[in-house]
């Protein structure tokens, strides 16, 4: 990954400079606190009616270090060989640097407008610094896989960590984006009706169409063909009316874009000898509690034994792509698209599930909370339970493991 290696080289002096003795104390101090999850309604209320920059500053100067420190404690529990990978060391150094920069505002006066302006500048720096965390951490995991023997327990622990690490990152970016979009005059979401990054009247079908067209352009670029979209919407709350919810459109777009990419690739590769491609079918249903989006393809499906692997960061159905400095996004291959999409769904208490019929196709089902008061952040917290999770060994299997007899013909004859 040329782009990731360039990022590592440019930031190498920071990692080489070492860490001051103050850092462990600050990490320990802030990791004693649990993160404070917010609901979409709380984000909305604050931004739309009584939004106060000083109040947001006071909350974030405590909450952001808490979230950073909690995940830094978990990074230290990773296997030593993984921690020795340069890209993982780099990511850790970024988190430490961001924590220490934010801690500097702990004793500053929120009534000072210069302090508030400097805080926004620091948030933008932190967000930009962490921009490539996902591919660089993915590179570290790939290097670890290729260099060391990874047993089942270690693989499960890494999966557990990465789910929490990436969810933590999603939440930090959400907090930073809300503050900068609301209070930074130089930041503009481009959508007048949005409250920060939240759309109080998110047009779900509109986001579906946007994500499909973006995926389609990418598919046309790689395969010179793409399937059509067939869409049905059912409003179970107000029949016949368009479906709108309070949500973060960029999160929904991210999920849909990934699922459409997978559906299109599967459809084209499974039907390459057909005269025409079957459409990708989408059903959007709004119920009293949940919004459900089902994406159905006829791309041949996935064997049962591989379904759970699709959400593993250490597995991909596509060849690993060669990353370069161009602006072309890989259609597939890094292995983190589906698991991170599921995290975006789970972030506000939703979910993402896959149901496959091998030999036919796959249904991907997104569940989101229909009520903004129930859409509450799902956040990892470092505590005794999390610590014990990393210390668990392999448990004995209490089910028989099927295996083929070495001489099945002779055994059958004897019976």
């Amino acid at each position: 990954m040329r782009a990731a290696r360039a990022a590592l080289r440019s930031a190498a002096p920071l990692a080489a400079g070492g860490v001051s003795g103050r850092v462990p104390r600050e990490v320990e101090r802030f990791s004693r606190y649990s993160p404070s999850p917010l609901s979409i309604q709380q984000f909305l209320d604050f931004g739309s009616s009584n939004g106060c920059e000083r109040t947001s500053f006071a909350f974030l100067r405590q909450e952001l270090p808490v979230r950073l420190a909690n995940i830094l404690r978990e990074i230290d529990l990773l296997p030593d060989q993984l921690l020795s990978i340069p890209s993982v060391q780099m990511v850790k150094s970024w988190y430490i640097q961001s924590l220490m920069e934010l801690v500097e505002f702990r004793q500053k006066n929120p009534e000072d407008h210069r302090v508030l302006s400097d805080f926004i500048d620091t948030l933008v720096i932190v967000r930009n610094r962490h921009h490539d965390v996902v591919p660089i951490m993915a590179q570290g995991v790939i290097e670890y896989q290729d260099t060391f023997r990874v047993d089942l327990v270690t693989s499960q622990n890494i999966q557990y960590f990465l789910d929490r690490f990436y969810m933590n990152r999603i939440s930090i970016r959400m907090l930073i984006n809300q503050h900068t979009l609301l209070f930074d005059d130089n930041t503009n979401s481009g959508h007048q009706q949005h409250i920060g990054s939240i759309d109080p009247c998110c047009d779900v079908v509109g986001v579906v169409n946007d994500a499909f067209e973006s995926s389609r352009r990418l598919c046309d670029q790689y395969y010179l063909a793409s399937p059509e979209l067939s869409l049905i919407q059912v409003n179970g709350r107000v029949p016949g009316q368009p479906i709108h919810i309070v949500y973060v459109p960029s999160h929904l777009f991210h999920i849909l874009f990934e699922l459409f990419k997978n559906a299109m690739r599967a459809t084209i590769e499974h039907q390459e000898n057909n005269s025409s491609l079957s459409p990708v079918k989408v059903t959007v249903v709004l119920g009293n509690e949940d919004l459900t989006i089902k994406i159905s393809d006829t791309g041949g499906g996935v064997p049962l034994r591989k379904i759970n692997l699709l959400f593993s960061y250490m597995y991909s159905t596509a060849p690993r792509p060669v990353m370069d400095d161009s602006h072309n996004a890989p259609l597939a291959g890094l292995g983190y698209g589906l698991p991170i999409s599921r995290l975006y769904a789970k972030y506000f208490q939703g979910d993402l599930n896959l149901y496959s019929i091998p030999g036919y196709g796959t249904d991907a089902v997104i569940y989101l909370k229909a009520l903004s008061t129930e859409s509450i952040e799902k956040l990892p917290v470092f505590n005794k339970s999390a610590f014990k999770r990393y210390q668990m060994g392999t448990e004995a299997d209490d089910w028989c493991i099927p295996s083929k007899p070495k001489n099945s013909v002779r055994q059958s004859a004897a019976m």
Side-chain angles (χ1 to χ4, degrees), residues 146-198:
D146 292 343
T147 306
F148 302 97
R149 180 179 177 273
V150 183
D151 59 44
L152 178 60
V153 174
T154 302
S155 178
Q156 290 173 344
N157 286 345
I158 292 174
Q159 178 75 20
Y160 175 78
F161 165 77
L162 289 176
D163 271 342
R164 297 163 66 81
F165 175 76
Y166 289 135
M167 184 71 89
N168 175 274
R169 180 180 182 273
I170 291 170
S171 76
I172 288 172
R173 289 183 68 85
M174 180 70 189
L175 294 180
I176 291 177
N177 287 340
Q178 283 301 107
H179 187 88
T180 55
L181 286 169
L182 289 173
F183 305 116
D184 183 6
D185 294 335
N186 297 320
T187 304
N188 189 343
S189 69
H191 300 278
Q192 295 298 324
Q193 74 274 21
H194 285 195
I195 306 300
S197 59
I198 299 171

Side-chain angles (χ1 to χ4, degrees), residues 15 68 95 106 137 172 203 217 233 236 279 297 301 309 314 357:
L68 288 165
Y95 273 67
R106 190 172 57 198
M137 180 60 83
I172 288 172
D203 179 2
R217 285 193 295 271
Q233 61 173 317
D297 67 63
L309 292 174
M314 305 174 93
I357 303 176

Side-chain angles (χ1 to χ4, degrees), residues 8-204:
L8 294 179
R9 286 195 299 271
S10 65
L14 172 64
V19 178
S20 68
R22 182 185 166 204
V23 170
R25 293 196 299 272
E26 296 294 357
V27 172
E28 170 66 26
R29 177 179 185 272
F30 282 98
S31 67
R32 293 175 182 172
Y33 298 94
S34 294
S36 302
L38 302 175
S39 69
I40 287 184
Q41 189 62 50
Q42 287 176 301
F43 279 115
L44 203 63
D45 290 343
F46 178 82
S48 58
S49 57
N50 60 345
C52 172
E53 186 173 0
R54 294 186 299 275
T55 303
S56 181
F57 165 78
F59 174 72
L60 292 185
R61 69 176 175 181
Q62 170 71 16
E63 183 64 17
L64 287 173
V66 166
R67 297 191 186 192
L68 288 165
N70 268 262
I71 206 63
L72 276 167
R73 292 295 299 275
E74 296 198 33
I75 289 176
D76 285 335
L77 297 178
L78 292 172
D80 291 339
Q81 293 95 334
L82 181 55
L83 287 173
S84 70
I85 301 292
S87 53
V88 178
Q89 291 178 346
M90 186 56 52
V91 169
K92 181 181 176 181
S93 74
W94 287 346
Y95 273 67
I96 290 172
Q97 185 175 359
S98 298
L99 171 65
M100 300 310 293
E101 288 172 357
L102 290 166
V103 165
E104 292 299 317
F105 289 91
R106 190 172 57 198
Q107 302 299 332
K108 293 188 176 182
N109 183 8
E111 302 297 329
D112 186 337
H113 290 287
R114 183 61 190 172
V115 169
L116 298 179
S117 177
D118 289 345
F119 186 67
I120 287 177
D121 291 341
T122 299
L123 292 182
V124 173
I125 290 171
V126 169
R127 182 176 59 200
N128 292 340
R129 178 185 297 131
H130 292 230
H131 181 268
D132 292 324
V133 160
V134 174
I136 290 179
M137 180 60 83
Q139 179 189 2
V141 173
I142 289 172
E143 291 180 11
Y144 175 67
Q145 252 185 305
D146 292 343
T147 306
F148 302 97
R149 180 179 177 273
V150 183
D151 59 44
L152 178 60
V153 174
T154 302
S155 178
Q156 290 173 344
N157 286 345
I158 292 174
Q159 178 75 20
Y160 175 78
F161 165 77
L162 289 176
D163 271 342
R164 297 163 66 81
F165 175 76
Y166 289 135
M167 184 71 89
N168 175 274
R169 180 180 182 273
I170 291 170
S171 76
I172 288 172
R173 289 183 68 85
M174 180 70 189
L175 294 180
I176 291 177
N177 287 340
Q178 283 301 107
H179 187 88
T180 55
L181 286 169
L182 289 173
F183 305 116
D184 183 6
D185 294 335
N186 297 320
T187 304
N188 189 343
S189 69
H191 300 278
Q192 295 298 324
Q193 74 274 21
H194 285 195
I195 306 300
S197 59
I198 299 171
D199 187 347
C201 192
C202 180
D203 179 2
V204 176

Side-chain angles (χ1 to χ4, degrees), residues 323-340:
M323 298 290 285
D324 54 32
D325 296 324
S326 70
H327 297 287
N328 292 330
L331 187 63
L334 284 177
Y336 59 74
L338 274 176
I340 289 184

